[in-house]
Amino acid sequence: MSGNITVVEHPLVQHKLTLLRRKQASTAEFRKLLWEIGLFLGYEAMSDLPLGRVPIETPVSTMEAPVIYGKKLAFISVLRAGDGLLAPMLELAPSARVGQIGLSRNEITLKPEKYYFKTPGNLDQRRTIVLDPMLATGNSAAYAIDEIKKAGARDLKFVCLLAAPAGVETFTKAHPDVPVVTAAIDYSLDDHGYIVPGLGDAGDRLFGTKKA
Ligand SMILES: O=P(O)(O)OC[C@H]1O[C@H](OP(=O)(O)OP(=O)(O)O)[C@H](O)[C@@H]1O
Ligand SMILES: O=c1cc[nH]c(=O)[nH]1
Ligand SMILES: [Mg+2]
């Protein structure tokens, strides 16, 4: 498989992902597990932030101590399901600016339809991390990055929970400059474009909107 993709294989992530995938997981459990895994995905996605040094005093001595330095962060959630990763990312970096792109995948064409777009200013001066748990066909993620690049972003990463091989292919062909961080790459897509084995519809599971 081509592209710059990091799979977070930490046992805690893989264990929590198994609990979250199970169809018996309640909405509350799904939400909490996505939040917990999101912390680890954020930890990985931000592992290359540049550090500078500032002088501080500890109770014992002075030192030149490391601090995150340089470009500010922007997190952009692909609505709705991206909001499940936004909360843990903000837990890690509370002063990041936040944007949203609202996309709904057309069930027949499997193409995204945009219904909302709002991003922070000066995206060209920010490290921009785009969030959506699912990279299935890759159409939504590739389109989201197209729009976010049009808004000025240049230094981008994409963070998801699950990816399908076809989605990784489509995404990395469209945006070879955008590294992807995920917790797993599954086997395939079904006839409706759902990731197999996957977890079902992430938005419905996160918000409890699946019709009975
Ligand atoms: O890679 P793709 O084939 O484009 O599929 C992935 C998209 O599908 C889901 O969103 P959905 O359209 O279900 O919207 P929702 O978050 O409101 O449920 C998911 O959150 C992605 O945005
Ligand atoms: O498996 C999938 C594919 C697209 N969107 C989802 O929420 N789940
Ligand atoms: Mg959905």
Side-chain angles (χ1 to χ4, degrees), residues 88-149:
M89 296 289 287
L90 285 172
E91 190 78 18
L92 296 172
S95 55
R97 298 296 190 264
V98 172
Q100 281 101 6
I101 176 166
L103 297 183
S104 190
R105 190 173 76 153
N106 181 302
E107 288 176 14
I108 311 292
T109 64
L110 299 183
K111 300 283 186 224
E113 294 170 359
K114 182 173 77 171
Y115 57 87
Y116 186 76
F117 190 76
K118 184 94 176 174
T119 56
N122 302 335
L123 275 186
D124 56 326
Q125 290 158 42
R126 295 182 185 277
R127 158 70 61 89
T128 302
I129 303 183
V130 180
L131 309 166
D132 188 335
M134 308 306 276
L135 185 69
T137 64
N139 293 336
S140 300
Y143 176 77
I145 300 284
D146 285 342
E147 295 297 298
I148 293 163
K149 282 183 174 171

Side-chain angles (χ1 to χ4, degrees), residues 80-81 194 201-204:
R80 293 174 297 165
Y194 277 83
D201 187 297
D204 281 343

